[in-house]
Amino acid sequence: MKTEAIIAAGGKGERFGEKNPKQFYYLAGKPILCWTIFQFEKCKGIDKIILVVPQGMKKWTEKLIFPSYKFRKIKEITEGGKQRNESVLKGLKKIDEDTNLVIIHDGVRPLISPSLIEKVIDETEKYGAVTLGLPVKETLKKIEGPWVKETLEKKEIYSIQTPQGFWKDLIFGAYQKVERSGWRASDDATLIEKLGHKVKVILGEEVNIKITTPLDVKIAEFLLNKRCVQA
């Protein structure tokens, strides 16, 4: 069973407030993106990695990561599009014909564990579409303007993480629909839902945070240092 990973790092990270996109910001001495790649390098079930970076930053990325970090599984770096869906599609077009499973992950989730990636691979092989998720802890309310419209039933709501895994033909079919119909979604599993295929949710990890703000960097650095001490 051949499995390729697409690490989606094509965003500009405008909310982060730095000159360079947040995936290149240094976390504990290394770019955030490199920590993310390390986790996939260590996962035995991942055969190859396709890295999707912002437009105009392919050569810059190559100079940043290849001289300093001995990555063995990156087969290609490609530039993304203006939207996440466009970036992932560009990565999908680089997938080998004989690949069976595709694992898609946010480049700014550097604390994903190799063991959880492995679990996503195993479950994807069985079910075709898998996402990580955590049950929400806070009470959630739907609002209109400043007013509460509805209080949502917390036990039915999950916060979704990546990686997400798919049979190759299934995710390609979804993205063919994207090209024809202009579907948009904030994650890839939503596109599979639109096809009418069930998506299995497996329990994620609380430390698998998505770095969006400078505060997230401080939290990630604390968690990373704690992980290294425990190891």
Side-chain angles (χ1 to χ4, degrees), residues 27 32 35-36 39 105-117 132-135 137 159-163 203-212 215-228 230:
L27 167 66
I32 290 169
W35 285 111
T36 304
Q39 309 315 314
H105 187 62
D106 298 324
V108 289
R109 290 187 187 268
L111 296 175
I112 182 66
S113 67
S115 61
L116 191 52
I117 299 171
L132 296 179
L134 289 175
K137 298 176 181 178
S159 175
I160 296 303
Q161 302 178 338
T162 65
L203 197 63
E205 296 171 329
E206 290 190 342
V207 298
N208 183 25
I209 63 172
K210 184 177 182 180
I211 295 179
T212 305
L215 177 60
D216 295 330
V217 174
K218 294 181 180 180
I219 295 170
E221 193 156 33
F222 170 79
L223 294 170
L224 190 60
N225 288 335
K226 186 177 181 180
R227 178 184 289 181
C228 291
Q230 290 177 338

Side-chain angles (χ1 to χ4, degrees), residues 83-101:
Q83 304 292 331
R84 186 184 187 278
N85 290 161
E86 295 173 20
S87 295
V88 173
L89 179 57
K90 289 191 174 187
L92 284 170
K93 289 180 177 178
K94 303 296 183 180
I95 296 289
D96 293 341
E97 288 188 9
D98 62 342
T99 292
N100 306 102
L101 306 180

Side-chain angles (χ1 to χ4, degrees), residues 133-146:
L134 289 175
V136 299
K137 298 176 181 178
E138 299 87 356
T139 297
L140 298 178
K141 294 182 182 290
K142 187 175 182 180
I143 66 170
E144 283 187 354

